[in-house]
Amino acid sequence: MHDAVFSLDNVHFRFPDSGQRTLDGISYEIFRGERVVITGPSGAGKSTLLYLLNRLYPLNCDGILSGSIKLFNKPSENYAPGEINRRIATVFQDPDSQFCMRTVEEELAFTLENLSAVAEAMDARIAGVLELTGLMELRHAVIQTLSGGMKQRVATACALIMEPEVLLLDEPLAHLDPFTAKQFVDWLSVLQKRHGLTVVAVEHRLELWETFFSREIVLDRDGALIADVPFRPRSIYSFPVRPSVYEDLPALQAEAISVKKEGRLLLAPLSFKAARGEVVVIAGPNGSGKTTLLKALCGIIPLTGGRIIAQKVGYVPQSPEFLFIESSVEAELAFSGASTQAEVEELMERLHLTDIKESHPFSVSHGQKRRVAIGAMLADKRDVLLMDEPTSGQDFAALMELFTLIRERVQEGATILIVTHDMEFAAGIADSVLLIKDGMLTGKFSAERVWADESLMQAHQLLQPKGMVQREKSFA
């Protein structure tokens, strides 16, 4: 614990097209074998700080850096391009951004080839890491056919196959179902102890890590370090339970819809209705077909059978960049249908976007991108709004504002379907829960029925919302 892996002294950083610093005077050390979490509001510069540790920044973004950064007691600028990546592996927030090859096996082999690994040993290393990460059955799977959660596990496997000394994780639980997230943390803990890994993670969902981290580095909204303290497990945040106000008028009907691709049945024939003013949470294990269902409902993926009855459907994808067409956050919201400038400004204020209104939507943090996309769809006033993991990358203040905005829209008659692994958010916002497993619909249930049925939750790899447990105890 006395050997410094990272040493930062008075580090300032800003992007070339920004007049404002992303990081402001950061100083700290991280020692070999530590488990450290970087926290702070969405847009505070947490991911930027992580990418300075692996030398992705400043060279790959032409960023302006001052201060001193040492990696393994050597100035970071003295490393040749790619040299440090043999010792420091990274799992990015958006796993798609780091894939180069078609299949899981090819991606792992490509990683080893870049390390000049001995060809004869490659097969054993690939098999070993697939076994370790529980991905053996997906060895020959096409990566782009996998769910977001499965892609995250593949990205982690690609990092671990490098046998690194340091593992950098940018919100690694963001796309994992609660049960898989808990498994991931338990598995990583064993792995860290066995290999003496140094683990540095950016994370919002602290409750899922329990006592994993030993230390916490906290940034404020301006990118300054405000605390470097022993990690304290968080009490679970909870949301007020939204009163059900929906009308018994169908706004969306799925009638025996199915999706088949390349001979593989992704969605078995399923039917359900969503009423005007209803919030439906879609839940289930990673890879169960949740995102496929949303894409089918809005027409991105063609149906193999059945039909959908709905009007004016809007969609916020897991990767919000697919929606952006304007060169500033403000213009993006204005283009999407806000009737007045005052409405645009109110949405930006409520979604904590005012400070970045002139920024290009592609240049902001992952959590901010999601809020821009959500704002654009809210401005468009669609009758039915589909959201895929809208809580990912959001701090609690942003989540509470999102909660309130959704509540207001459903009171106006909108119908909202949300894929989320955040059970606390789901417990507060949902009227109904649509449970899916292996591409098949288990059923549509009242939210209260799902939270009360332990066997139903276990079958779909969900954990009971702890905030809900606290509320139940308070009513006893």
Side-chain angles (χ1 to χ4, degrees), residues 373-393:
I374 290 166
M377 283 299 156
L378 288 172
D380 212 25
K381 296 182 174 62
R382 302 295 179 108
D383 296 327
V384 179
L385 185 55
L386 315 176
M387 297 184 178
D388 199 350
E389 295 287 0
T391 67
S392 176

Side-chain angles (χ1 to χ4, degrees), residues 175-186:
H175 301 297
L176 300 182
D177 63 63
F179 180 79
T180 303
K182 188 177 185 306
Q183 279 189 321
F184 177 89
V185 172
D186 292 343

Side-chain angles (χ1 to χ4, degrees), residues 135 138 145-154 172-184 205 264 282-292 318 388-389 419-421 436-439 459-462:
L135 293 170
L138 298 178
T145 66
L146 302 178
S147 70
M150 288 299 182
K151 288 177 180 177
Q152 195 82 336
R153 292 173 69 178
V154 172
L173 308 185
H175 301 297
L176 300 182
D177 63 63
F179 180 79
T180 303
K182 188 177 185 306
Q183 279 189 321
F184 177 89
R205 299 173 70 187
R264 181 173 166 230
I282 302 173
N286 288 123
S288 59
K290 301 183 296 295
T291 294
T292 299
Q318 270 189 32
D388 199 350
E389 295 287 0
V419 167
T420 184
H421 292 305
I436 297 181
K437 186 176 181 181
D438 298 326
H460 295 83
Q461 298 190 191
L462 306 175

Side-chain angles (χ1 to χ4, degrees), residues 155-365:
T156 305
C158 290
L160 292 172
I161 203 170
M162 299 167 67
E163 299 177 350
E165 298 171 53
V166 180
L167 188 60
L168 305 180
L169 304 167
D170 197 354
E171 297 216 44
L173 308 185
H175 301 297
L176 300 182
D177 63 63
F179 180 79
T180 303
K182 188 177 185 306
Q183 279 189 321
F184 177 89
V185 172
D186 292 343
W187 162 75
L188 185 63
S189 183
V190 171
L191 192 75
Q192 188 274 336
K193 290 176 183 176
R194 184 183 302 161
H195 299 284
L197 279 171
T198 303
V199 178
V200 183
V202 167
E203 188 57 86
H204 284 290
R205 299 173 70 187
L206 296 176
E207 73 280 359
L208 293 172
W209 292 85
E210 297 181 340
T211 60
F212 178 89
F213 296 112
S214 58
R215 187 169 148 215
E216 180 175 2
I217 291 171
V218 187
L219 304 184
D220 67 12
R221 196 169 294 279
D222 297 320
L225 192 152
I226 57 172
D228 183 349
V229 293
F231 177 70
R232 177 180 56 83
R234 295 291 196 277
S235 59
I236 299 298
Y237 62 80
S238 62
F239 296 87
V241 177
R242 183 187 67 83
S244 297
V245 295
Y246 65 92
E247 308 170 46
D248 191 19
L249 297 171
L252 180 147
Q253 289 182 251
E255 298 180 349
I257 64 171
S258 61
V259 174
K260 185 181 289 187
K261 189 172 182 181
E262 297 178 356
R264 181 173 166 230
L265 189 63
L266 303 181
L267 280 182
L270 59 87
S271 302
F272 70 92
K273 296 179 182 179
R276 176 181 161 86
E278 183 179 10
V279 178
V280 181
V281 163
I282 302 173
N286 288 123
S288 59
K290 301 183 296 295
T291 294
T292 299
L293 175 57
L294 286 192
K295 290 180 176 179
L297 292 175
C298 66
I300 292 176
I301 294 179
L303 298 178
T304 305
R307 67 170 183 160
I308 296 162
I309 304 172
Q311 292 182 336
K312 290 190 69 176
V313 176
Y315 174 53
V316 181
Q318 270 189 32
S319 298
E321 296 92 337
F322 293 131
L323 293 181
F324 301 149
I325 58 175
E326 293 291 337
S327 59
S328 75
V329 169
E330 185 174 24
E332 191 69 46
L333 267 63
F335 177 85
S336 298
S339 55
T340 65
Q341 179 62 25
E343 188 176 346
V344 171
E345 291 175 359
E346 182 189 1
L347 268 175
M348 288 192 298
E349 180 69 26
R350 297 187 65 179
L351 289 169
H352 301 252
L353 299 172
T354 302
D355 290 346
I356 59 166
K357 66 179 183 179
E358 296 178 0
S359 300
H360 197 291
F362 282 93
S363 70
V364 300
S365 77

